[in-house]
Amino acid sequence: MNLEKLINLFSGRKFGEFILQIIQNQSLNSIEEAGNEKMVLLPTQFEGKMTYIFGEFIKIGEEKSFWKNECSETYIFLTVKAREYFLQNGINPNEKDLINMVHIIILSLAYYAHSDDKVRKNIENAISKSFFNKFFKNRDISKNYRWSIIFKNNSIPQYEMLGDNVIRMLGYYMITLGEQGNPSKPWELFLRCNKNGKGIQLTKEYFPNSNKIKNELFDKIKEIDSNYQVDKFKKEVFISRITGEYIKLKSSFAEYENEFQDDFESMDDGTFEEREMEKEKEMTFFKALNNIFK
């Protein structure tokens, strides 16, 4: 059962529709088998604890609004919850761990809906306002910035750069798009004006080389926001759309200089190797960029 493909197909549709699609096309036994296959991949720390997690989502599923939310946003919510479960058990999860846990939760919800007619009816009749409006409102900082550049994987937002000066923002991508071409599938880049929600997909066609952006792109930007050229602007930030965490984004020589200084100091105090190990584990903007242009 290819859940990633199903989620991609259901982007823009309600999570309840996604669950109904699973139970309409899969038997109860096949859903159970798929869930069991993924359960064995969980770390041993979760032994005896999944019943509690399933119970938590069964309770959430009693709210009609849970099923009403858009599918990709629900996927993000489930990923946030999955990360919390790992951290509570002393595990720093990688991407595969999170995906596996999210898929276990989805399959458990599908099993729950498949085996209980009342639950299925509840999904079909879901009409309430989004259960997650408040949840995502607290994490959505886009209204504080004029522009966003969003990294999407299978149509699901993963990372987001936010800023007011769109020309500066495009400069972060000019060399990579100009020299390496389009992102590796299924990754995509989108520029969005947060004032009106209008956007443009960023592709190689607008970046003929590493030091040029075609006027055609600026013409399209002007159509979206005629006042896009600004004199005053906040410093750009880069965040994970999955966790809401801020990711390091160096935008000036002074910041690089400070990091070099810290490296030298760590050599003096004997913590250089430890510092290098921490830097290796730390996600940065350029690591995220390298991941999507493999």
Side-chain angles (χ1 to χ4, degrees):
M1 189 186 306
N2 192 328
L3 287 177
E4 285 108 332
K5 186 175 181 180
L6 275 175
I7 291 164
N8 190 31
L9 290 172
F10 270 71
S11 179
R13 297 176 68 179
K14 300 294 182 269
F15 182 63
E17 294 177 311
F18 171 54
I19 293 296
L20 290 175
Q21 178 72 12
I22 293 176
I23 68 177
Q24 287 166 6
N25 291 278
Q26 300 288 332
S27 68
L28 195 61
N29 285 340
S30 66
I31 294 172
E32 184 177 19
E33 288 173 4
N36 288 336
E37 287 176 4
K38 294 186 179 297
M39 286 278 284
V40 299
L41 302 176
L42 287 174
T44 56
Q45 288 93 323
F46 284 98
E47 286 182 10
K49 297 180 181 179
M50 292 307 296
T51 300
Y52 168 79
I53 292 174
F54 294 153
E56 184 175 28
F57 279 96
I58 287 172
K59 188 172 182 179
I60 291 174
E62 293 174 358
E63 296 289 336
K64 289 182 180 180
S65 50
F66 175 79
W67 311 105
K68 190 74 172 174
N69 201 59
E70 199 272 327
C71 193
S72 63
E73 285 194 348
T74 305
Y75 194 92
I76 294 172
F77 171 76
L78 296 179
T79 307
V80 172
K81 293 294 292 182
R83 181 178 176 79
E84 289 176 0
Y85 295 137
F86 276 100
L87 294 177
Q88 287 166 8
N89 284 277
I91 305 167
N92 188 20
N94 58 34
E95 185 178 6
K96 288 183 179 179
D97 291 330
L98 292 175
I99 290 172
N100 186 53
M101 176 65 83
V102 169
H103 288 183
I104 289 171
I105 294 170
I106 289 174
L107 289 166
S108 70
L109 288 169
Y111 185 91
Y112 174 47
H114 205 312
S115 59
D116 192 323
D117 288 339
K118 289 182 180 179
V119 177
R120 181 176 55 78
K121 288 291 184 183
N122 189 43
I123 296 174
E124 293 172 348
N125 296 327
I127 56 173
S128 301
K129 291 183 179 179
S130 173
F131 173 77
F132 300 103
N133 278 351
K134 185 176 181 180
F135 178 85
F136 282 102
K137 184 178 180 181
N138 293 335
R139 284 172 165 75
D140 185 10
I141 61 170
S142 61
K143 65 181 180 180
N144 301 326
Y145 294 86
R146 197 178 188 99
W147 295 92
S148 290
I149 295 179
I150 303 167
F151 296 51
K152 291 186 178 182
N153 187 324
N154 277 319
S155 300
I156 299 172
Q158 302 288 314
Y159 302 103
E160 183 174 3
M161 175 184 280
L162 299 111
D164 299 318
N165 188 322
V166 68
I167 298 174
R168 276 173 52 97
M169 294 171 70
L170 291 172
Y172 285 91
Y173 304 87
M174 187 165 61
I175 294 176
T176 305
L177 280 163
E179 292 185 353
Q180 295 184 236
N182 292 323
S184 303
K185 292 182 179 180
W187 286 98
E188 296 172 302
L189 280 178
F190 289 89
L191 173 66
R192 183 185 69 199
C193 177
N194 294 325
K195 288 169 52 182
N196 53 33
K198 296 180 180 179
I200 305 163
Q201 184 172 357
L202 298 178
T203 62
K204 165 67 177 174
E205 66 176 297
Y206 299 120
F207 300 83
N209 54 56
S210 60
N211 59 9
K212 183 178 180 180
I213 301 174
K214 285 186 176 180
N215 288 332
E216 180 185 353
L217 178 56
F218 291 113
D219 290 340
K220 290 188 175 183
I221 290 171
K222 190 173 182 179
E223 289 177 10
I224 292 173
D225 180 5
S226 58
N227 298 314
Y228 73 90
Q229 298 191 56
V230 295
D231 296 323
K232 296 181 180 180
F233 50 87
K234 296 183 290 295
K235 183 179 177 182
E236 295 80 19
V237 298
F238 190 62
I239 63 171
S240 166
R241 283 290 301 270
I242 302 299
T243 66
E245 294 175 318
Y246 285 78
I247 296 172
K248 186 177 289 187
L249 177 64
K250 292 189 287 291
S251 58
S252 69
F253 178 76
E255 288 173 301
Y256 283 101
E257 197 172 45
N258 289 337
E259 184 162 314
F260 288 139
Q261 182 61 38
D262 290 341
D263 285 341
F264 283 121
E265 289 178 2
S266 68
M267 290 179 188
D268 290 337
D269 62 23
T271 61
F272 181 76
E273 289 187 10
E274 182 180 336
R275 176 176 166 77
E276 287 298 298
M277 290 174 63
E278 288 300 316
K279 285 167 64 176
E280 185 67 27
K281 291 188 286 186
E282 181 184 31
M283 176 55 74
T284 66
F285 167 74
F286 289 107
K287 282 184 182 179
L289 203 62
N290 288 337
N291 285 341
I292 77 165
F293 283 91
K294 289 180 180 177

